[in-house]
Amino acid sequence: MSLPFGFSDHPAQLLRVGPGFSLAEQPSKAAPGFSGKKLDGVDTLAARAPVLAQLQEQLFAESRFGGKKSLLLILQAMDTAGKGGVVGNVVGAVDPQGVKLTTFKAPTDEEKAHDFLWRVRPGAPGPGMFGVFDRSHYEDVLIHRVHGWADGAELERRYDAINAFEAELIDSGTTIVKVMLNISPAEQLKRLTARLHDPTKYWKYSPTDLDERKFWPEYMDAYQHAFEKTSSEGAPWYVVPADKKWYARMAVQEILINALGGLNLQWPAGDYDLAHERSRLQGA
Amino acid sequence: MSLPFGFSDHPAQLLRVGPGFSLAEQPSKAAPGFSGKKLDGVDTLAARAPVLAQLQEQLFAESRFGGKKSLLLILQAMDTAGKGGVVGNVVGAVDPQGVKLTTFKAPTDEEKAHDFLWRVRPGAPGPGMFGVFDRSHYEDVLIHRVHGWADGAELERRYDAINAFEAELIDSGTTIVKVMLNISPAEQLKRLTARLHDPTKYWKYSPTDLDERKFWPEYMDAYQHAFEKTSSEGAPWYVVPADKKWYARMAVQEILINALGGLNLQWPAGDYDLAHERSRLQGA
């Protein structure tokens, strides 16, 4: 794993959910593995953006010549944790042509009439694509668990279905990266308050944000269960401290660079006769 | 129309296709309305990116409270003209959450079995969205005209169908901006040659690029016809000189800023009781 200046350890190692993981013990305000300050982090994010962009372009390019690899970033978090900021500032730095973003809202009546994965499957990235889920099928084992909309047996069925679904994606060539942005209740309160005191942010606030906030411990419990049931070698969860937006963005960026970097991507040679095309060009 | 430093006239005025327009008389290497050099242009693009991003965010925010407005950028050009660069560098600067990009390739068998607009309609932006067509329904009156895949009567039918389709989008709240990136044959040759001498660009080259190049005059004739038949007050074409990539990107950016700027977008007030929510927050 190559690390940019300022890092002592790699976020992909430090933040990965492994055996015995306890969400309750994870920091939300720290910047694990990074010795710099906010401005250093902002600089690092900018400096590393072209690295991520080139890896994504190679992924995309390979698919034009038969490559089957793809990437799927799944983002989950409590409200205001910064999913949108990661999408805009980390994913936003790569070529939009290669990105397939799906935002999951409360399901429609038609979606509810199907099993919970029905609406998720079309969002899976095709060859060469960088898929992003802003919320995901994990809502069906998070908010549903918190509010008791699914009982214990049904939740077990869903964990199994999720693991089978993700295994299927992996088998078809998709690298899966699952990220939970971990903010503290205090930081959320600060951000919600900011939204209610800035006219350019009123639109981002919804009264239901405060309603869900009351279930914070239940949500943390649901996340802990989801991690235990669904974090695997092939589809690992990363819990990223997110009270510092600049750190969360940088950490997700490094986790993605690490994931793509492990695919041994190459610039494809092209499926034409290079010498012949060069000589054709000279007469064109 | 507000203009950033360096501009004497607005690209949205200078480059718009109006009565008596002649593509053959348009420059491809000039930088109309801009007195600066390349570095000035690059700086201007970066400086104006937040302006476009804010307008897009307002468009998106309005839709969350019932706003019906949307934006559709249609990009057409000869190969290598820089459509991808506009998508990456101009559109890429706004929040990916609000962008709906559709890339049109050669139609599949299923698509061919339907009328030419069938595959295009699902790409239309919903409320608040910034839709982008990388190639579009115009291929059906461009390449089809050039190769005689549609006869005169069929082409007339398609121009009419396109105008009816675009009028329908406008009626539903979509602002349409149609851009043709205008490069010279000499510049295209330079770019194709570059692709064949840089291993990181081999994948972008296809032998058919050279085949289509032979029909350059026929393509220009097809574009001229398309402009005459489909450039209107509500859905204008802009022909953007594109031999200088930095100018083309900047010009498209200003055309988009101008289009969104004319919509009188506002930050929505929110549909909740602000004072009540503020006091709820204090106890949360």
Side-chain angles (χ1 to χ4, degrees):
Chain A
M1 296 186 183
S2 74
L3 277 171
F5 184 76
F7 278 95
S8 57
D9 290 287
H10 203 294
Q13 288 178 316
L14 295 173
L15 307 177
R16 185 173 171 137
V17 172
F21 175 88
S22 166
L23 178 56
E25 292 166 25
Q26 301 310 308
S28 61
K29 202 167 184 167
F34 191 71
S35 57
K37 299 293 179 191
K38 178 175 178 174
L39 274 182
D40 305 309
V42 170
D43 285 350
T44 300
L45 186 77
R48 295 284 279 178
V51 177
L52 181 61
Q54 180 180 315
L55 287 165
Q56 175 275 328
E57 191 180 346
Q58 288 181 313
L59 182 74
F60 187 81
E62 276 197 351
S63 75
R64 288 293 176 268
F65 296 87
K68 297 294 181 203
K69 295 170 195 158
S70 63
L71 176 67
L72 175 61
L73 170 65
I74 297 177
L75 289 170
Q76 284 289 157
M78 298 298 282
D79 287 319
T80 77
K83 287 187 285 81
V86 166
V87 171
N89 294 277
V90 180
V91 180
V94 313
D95 187 347
Q97 193 185 182
V99 175
K100 181 183 168 85
L101 170 66
T102 312
T103 304
F104 292 95
K105 307 276 183 194
T108 63
D109 286 344
E110 188 191 13
E111 287 169 350
K112 280 184 204 165
H114 293 269
D115 191 46
F116 75 105
L117 289 174
W118 180 79
R119 68 169 183 159
V120 177
R121 288 181 183 275
M129 295 298 287
F130 177 179
V132 182
F133 286 177
D134 180 346
R135 301 188 188 275
S136 68
H137 42 292
Y138 283 97
E139 290 297 328
D140 296 273
V141 294
L142 293 169
I143 188 170
H144 282 241
R145 182 185 185 100
V146 166
H147 294 296
W149 300 339
D151 64 19
E154 172 61 13
L155 287 169
E156 292 301 324
R157 186 191 71 81
R158 291 185 188 178
Y159 296 129
D160 290 346
I162 286 172
N163 286 329
F165 169 58
E166 294 181 358
E168 185 189 319
L169 294 183
I170 293 165
D171 286 347
S172 73
T174 304
T175 297
I176 301 180
V177 171
K178 303 186 285 199
V179 168
M180 187 260 197
L181 299 175
N182 187 30
I183 56 163
S184 62
E187 179 64 22
Q188 189 196 50
L189 186 63
K190 217 168 105 184
R191 294 184 189 178
L192 288 173
T193 304
R195 287 185 181 179
L196 285 181
H197 289 83
D198 178 350
T200 73
K201 290 181 177 170
Y202 289 169
W203 71 276
K204 295 185 175 186
Y205 179 86
S206 162
T208 61
D209 296 347
L210 263 190
D211 301 335
E212 292 304 309
R213 175 177 165 80
K214 291 176 191 154
F215 296 94
W216 199 283
E218 289 83 358
Y219 271 105
M220 294 307 108
D221 188 53
Y223 272 108
Q224 175 71 32
H225 274 87
F227 297 151
E228 289 171 10
K229 297 285 187 178
T230 68
S231 200
S232 60
E233 189 63 35
W237 273 103
Y238 299 90
V239 172
V240 175
D243 282 3
K244 293 179 164 67
K245 287 181 186 176
W246 60 266
Y247 176 78
R249 292 170 187 177
M250 199 177 52
V252 175
Q253 187 186 54
E254 291 303 329
I255 290 167
L256 291 168
I257 288 173
N258 181 62
L260 286 174
L263 297 180
N264 189 26
L265 299 166
Q266 307 290 337
W267 292 113
D271 53 2
Y272 47 83
D273 180 336
L274 188 62
H276 176 67
E277 292 300 323
R278 282 183 182 163
S279 82
R280 270 181 85 204
L281 256 185
Q282 284 181 327
Chain B
M1 296 185 185
S2 74
L3 277 172
F5 184 76
F7 278 96
S8 57
D9 290 289
H10 202 295
Q13 288 178 317
L14 294 174
L15 307 178
R16 186 174 171 136
V17 172
F21 175 88
S22 166
L23 178 57
E25 292 166 24
Q26 302 310 308
S28 61
K29 202 168 185 168
F34 192 71
S35 57
K37 298 292 178 191
K38 178 175 178 173
L39 274 183
D40 305 310
V42 170
D43 284 350
T44 301
L45 186 77
R48 296 284 278 177
V51 177
L52 181 62
Q54 180 179 314
L55 287 165
Q56 176 275 329
E57 192 181 346
Q58 287 182 313
L59 180 76
F60 187 81
E62 276 197 351
S63 74
R64 287 293 176 268
F65 297 87
K68 297 294 181 202
K69 295 169 196 158
S70 64
L71 177 66
L72 176 60
L73 170 65
I74 297 175
L75 288 171
Q76 285 288 158
M78 299 298 283
D79 287 320
T80 77
K83 288 186 285 80
V86 165
V87 170
N89 294 277
V90 180
V91 180
V94 314
D95 187 347
Q97 192 184 182
V99 174
K100 182 183 166 84
L101 170 66
T102 311
T103 303
F104 292 96
K105 306 276 181 195
T108 63
D109 286 343
E110 188 191 12
E111 287 169 349
K112 280 185 201 162
H114 292 269
D115 191 46
F116 75 105
L117 290 174
W118 181 79
R119 68 171 184 158
V120 177
R121 289 181 182 274
M129 295 299 287
F130 177 178
V132 181
F133 286 177
D134 180 346
R135 303 190 187 273
S136 69
H137 43 293
Y138 283 97
E139 291 296 329
D140 296 274
V141 293
L142 293 169
I143 189 170
H144 282 241
R145 183 186 184 101
V146 166
H147 293 296
W149 301 339
D151 66 18
E154 173 61 14
L155 287 168
E156 292 302 325
R157 187 191 72 80
R158 291 185 187 179
Y159 296 130
D160 290 346
I162 287 173
N163 286 329
F165 169 58
E166 293 182 358
E168 185 190 320
L169 294 183
I170 293 165
D171 287 347
S172 73
T174 304
T175 296
I176 302 179
V177 170
K178 302 186 285 199
V179 167
M180 187 260 198
L181 298 176
N182 188 30
I183 56 163
S184 61
E187 178 66 20
Q188 190 198 50
L189 186 61
K190 217 167 104 183
R191 295 184 188 179
L192 287 174
T193 305
R195 287 185 181 179
L196 285 182
H197 288 82
D198 178 349
T200 73
K201 290 181 177 170
Y202 290 168
W203 69 277
K204 294 186 176 187
Y205 178 87
S206 161
T208 62
D209 296 348
L210 262 189
D211 300 334
E212 291 305 307
R213 176 177 164 81
K214 292 178 190 152
F215 296 94
W216 199 283
E218 289 82 358
Y219 270 106
M220 295 305 110
D221 187 53
Y223 272 108
Q224 175 71 31
H225 274 86
F227 297 151
E228 288 171 9
K229 297 285 187 178
T230 67
S231 199
S232 61
E233 189 63 36
W237 274 102
Y238 299 90
V239 172
V240 174
D243 282 2
K244 292 178 164 63
K245 287 181 186 177
W246 61 266
Y247 176 78
R249 291 171 188 178
M250 199 176 52
V252 174
Q253 187 187 54
E254 291 303 329
I255 290 167
L256 291 168
I257 288 172
N258 182 62
L260 286 174
L263 296 181
N264 189 28
L265 299 166
Q266 307 290 336
W267 292 113
D271 54 2
Y272 47 82
D273 180 336
L274 187 62
H276 176 66
E277 293 300 323
R278 282 182 182 164
S279 82
R280 271 180 85 203
L281 256 185
Q282 285 181 327

